[in-house]
Amino acid sequence: MDKTQKINFNGGYVELFVPLPPIYELGEWKVRVIGKVIGSDETTKAEGKRILIEKGFTTNGNKQWEFYKKLRF
């Protein structure tokens, strides 16, 4: 199973990856997805940030271009 996926946009891309395997807890699976913005300059990185925020990702503390989302299924 491939653990990464890329979303391309003008001037860069967003890389989504799962750093750890899913955890089964209290009858449901939990997984954390990390999104990292790769862009040529600050303007294109802001476009990647907008894409991730629209998909429900949250900022990852002091890491400016890294985001996360916790999924349950």
Side-chain angles (χ1 to χ4, degrees), residues 18-29:
V18 178
L20 299 171
I23 299 170
Y24 189 74
E25 194 174 89
L26 299 174
E28 60 186 9
W29 287 95

Side-chain angles (χ1 to χ4, degrees), residues 14-34:
V14 173
E15 183 177 21
L16 302 173
F17 61 95
V18 178
L20 299 171
I23 299 170
Y24 189 74
E25 194 174 89
L26 299 174
E28 60 186 9
W29 287 95
K30 296 179 182 180
V31 64
R32 183 174 176 168
V33 179
I34 303 289

Side-chain angles (χ1 to χ4, degrees), residues 9-13 38-45:
F9 61 91
N10 254 352
Y13 63 91
I38 311 295
S40 56
D41 61 9
E42 297 296 314
T43 306
T44 56
K45 286 182 179 181

